[in-house]
Amino acid sequence: MKDEDKTIECEDAGPSTEMNHTATTCQESQEEAVMNLKGNEPTEGSILLNSGEKKLQETPTESSNLQMLREILACPPHGLLDKVITNVVIIVLLWAVVWSITGSECLPGGNLFGIIILFYCAVIGGKLFGLIKLPTLPPLPPLLGMLLAGFLIRNIPVISDNVQIKHKWSSSLRSIALSIILVRAGLGLDSKALKKLKGVCVRLSLGPCLVEACAAAVLSHFLMGLPWQWGFILGFVLGAVSPAVVVPSMLLLQGGGYGVEKGVPTLLMAAGSFDDILAITGFNTCLGMAFSTGSTVFNVLRGVLEVVIGVSAGCLLGFFIQYFPSSDQVNLVWKRAFLVLGFAVFAVFSSVYFGFPGSGGLCTLVMAFLAGIKWAKKKEDVEAIVAVAWDIFQPLLFGLIGAEVSIASLKPETVGCNRICGFGHSKITWRQTIRRLWNGCVDSGIFGHPHHSPNWKSTYWFAGP
């Protein structure tokens, strides 16, 4: 009866009694665990947990190393090994496809073989130079490695015999690279900043180029005996600014937000591009005067005509690309990128064909700038595609420029450095060096009369002691 009374009482207590019962049992188990720990009598569960923690603490590096080895030696491969194999196969496959189409042109000594090898070497040289980091200095630009790769290919005897590129192909590839970088410059220009700094942009593009060209012309005329036309040709070559160097650097600064408020990247990109166009126009004008391909007045006015033709054609093509293709078409970004790059390459090559080489670059710059104004924020997708094209042609451009320098064609009497300063003669003094420089200036008429003396020769600086 007592047991029955107890069960009745529990049933009457309901769920609250059960909760109290479970709470008391939990407290009892916790007290038992504490007593076991105090009495140094670990249970089975504590032993297993402690052993697992010790294993995790003891072998973290070993497990990571084993995991890396498993990833590298996995079949099929993954990670770094897979990336290396894929890149090697792509490189070999590119050569194999070109060889299957062209045959001997892609074998050693062929033109396409030289272009492919130059491209590979320029890419590798750029990557290696990008890895060089000097303390307290920014990393070296990859273009230095590309230039050095082309220079080594041209001047190492065994390699230069097998890697040969025709001059026409080299010139065409560099012209394509010029059109691509001018498209990037035009799309990267900020219309508001350019409108605000238009006066500074004109002064910055015209001033340095003209001053450098005039200074080089004067010095080369009086010190080296060059005619005025050839002096200005040399001056415009030396005074030209390379957009291929300026524009990518300014785009990086613009992407990072540096100087955007004051329009510094836009100013330098526009000024550098116009500076290069001015140098091309001045070079061709003076070249025509030197070879007397027309009257002097026509050669001078041709430079103005190139500017007018370039701006007019650029405005026409720019307004066309603003509305064609329309925004409702499929693959809009790819069509816009194809049109802007196609028109740019066509403008550069056709301007050379018709005898107005400076107008092609100006047309490309104006066209890309007007197209970017209409596209607004959507031009970023087009810029990404144009950037991929530049990544392909940048190694070719700088590699071909480096390959144009041949040490075999540079003779000491042509360079003249050792003759001017007496290098190679151990007994010459600095007084004799200054006396030679002074006599050269006096005999050339720079301090006396405006014309050369009858005894002056252009090889005076290169004469022996």
Side-chain angles (χ1 to χ4, degrees), residues 55-397:
K55 289 180 180 179
L56 290 173
Q57 292 176 358
E58 289 174 358
T59 61
T61 56
E62 293 179 1
S63 60
S64 62
N65 292 333
L66 289 173
Q67 186 176 1
M68 289 178 62
L69 288 174
R70 288 173 182 174
E71 290 179 356
I72 294 173
L73 301 177
C75 185
H78 297 282
L80 181 61
L81 182 60
D82 182 87
K83 183 178 180 181
V84 172
I85 294 174
T86 304
N87 292 335
V88 171
V89 170
I90 290 173
I91 291 172
V92 176
L93 182 61
L94 176 61
W95 173 84
V97 169
V98 178
W99 170 79
S100 63
I101 298 172
T102 61
S104 60
E105 280 291 320
C106 207
L107 296 177
N111 188 53
L112 293 177
F113 178 82
I115 294 174
I116 293 175
I117 295 299
L118 180 69
F119 177 77
Y120 289 162
C121 294
V123 171
I124 295 172
K127 295 291 185 182
L128 293 177
F129 265 68
L131 297 175
I132 299 175
K133 294 181 180 180
L134 301 176
T136 68
L137 290 176
L140 295 176
L143 62 90
L144 289 178
M146 299 173 187
L147 288 170
L148 182 60
F151 175 78
L152 293 176
I153 288 174
R154 177 63 182 275
N155 294 282
I156 296 177
V158 178
I159 298 178
S160 61
D161 295 337
N162 295 315
V163 180
Q164 297 179 0
I165 302 173
K166 295 179 181 179
H167 177 71
K168 186 176 181 180
W169 280 76
S170 175
S171 178
S172 299
L173 291 173
R174 283 179 288 172
S175 298
I176 295 173
L178 175 64
S179 61
I180 293 173
I181 198 60
L182 289 178
V183 168
R184 292 195 70 188
L187 292 176
L189 294 178
D190 186 3
S191 59
K192 296 180 180 179
L194 191 61
K195 184 177 180 181
K196 181 181 178 181
L197 301 171
K198 56 182 179 295
V200 180
C201 180
V202 172
R203 294 195 299 270
L204 190 60
S205 58
L206 296 179
C209 183
L210 293 177
V211 170
E212 290 180 33
C214 293
V218 170
L219 291 176
S220 61
H221 177 72
F222 288 108
L223 295 182
M224 300 178 64
L226 293 178
W228 283 109
Q229 295 90 339
W230 287 96
F232 276 101
I233 289 173
L234 177 62
F236 281 114
V237 170
L238 296 176
V241 173
S242 176
V245 179
V246 176
V247 173
S249 302
M250 293 301 104
L251 289 175
L252 288 176
L253 293 179
Q254 190 174 16
Y258 297 102
V260 176
E261 295 181 359
K262 295 184 178 180
V264 176
T266 295
L267 174 64
L268 294 179
M269 281 191 293
S273 301
F274 282 117
D275 181 283
D276 187 66
I277 294 168
L278 176 62
I280 293 172
T281 304
F283 173 84
N284 287 280
T285 301
C286 296
L287 192 65
M289 295 171 62
F291 286 98
S292 300
T293 57
S295 62
T296 305
V297 177
F298 172 77
N299 287 319
V300 174
L301 293 178
R302 189 175 65 175
V304 180
L305 187 61
E306 286 186 4
V307 175
V308 174
I309 293 174
V311 173
S312 302
C315 292
L316 181 62
L317 294 177
F319 284 119
F320 177 81
I321 296 177
Q322 284 183 353
Y323 301 100
F324 299 93
S326 59
S327 57
D328 58 345
Q329 294 191 23
V330 184
N331 298 324
L332 178 64
V333 176
W334 286 97
K335 291 180 179 179
R336 284 176 172 175
F338 175 78
L339 285 178
V340 72
L341 288 175
F343 278 132
V345 174
F346 175 75
V348 170
F349 280 92
S350 61
S351 63
V352 175
Y353 178 79
F354 289 108
F356 300 98
S359 61
L362 187 59
C363 172
T364 300
L365 191 66
V366 174
M367 175 191 65
F369 174 66
L370 293 177
I373 293 176
K374 180 67 176 179
W375 296 340
K377 294 183 179 179
K378 294 181 180 179
K379 71 177 182 180
E380 295 179 357
D381 298 331
V382 180
E383 288 178 340
I385 298 175
V386 177
V388 173
W390 172 245
D391 291 337
I392 297 173
F393 278 89
Q394 183 187 20
L396 289 173
L397 173 64

Side-chain angles (χ1 to χ4, degrees), residues 27-39 41 43:
Q27 288 179 357
E28 289 175 359
S29 62
Q30 289 178 357
E31 289 176 358
E32 288 179 2
V34 171
M35 292 297 294
N36 289 331
L37 290 172
K38 288 182 179 179
E41 295 177 3
T43 60

Side-chain angles (χ1 to χ4, degrees), residues 10-48:
C10 291
E11 290 176 356
D12 293 335
S16 61
T17 308
E18 293 177 359
M19 291 176 64
N20 293 330
H21 180 67
T22 55
T24 53
T25 55
C26 292
Q27 288 179 357
E28 289 175 359
S29 62
Q30 289 178 357
E31 289 176 358
E32 288 179 2
V34 171
M35 292 297 294
N36 289 331
L37 290 172
K38 288 182 179 179
N40 293 328
E41 295 177 3
T43 60
E44 269 186 49
S46 62
I47 292 172
L48 291 173

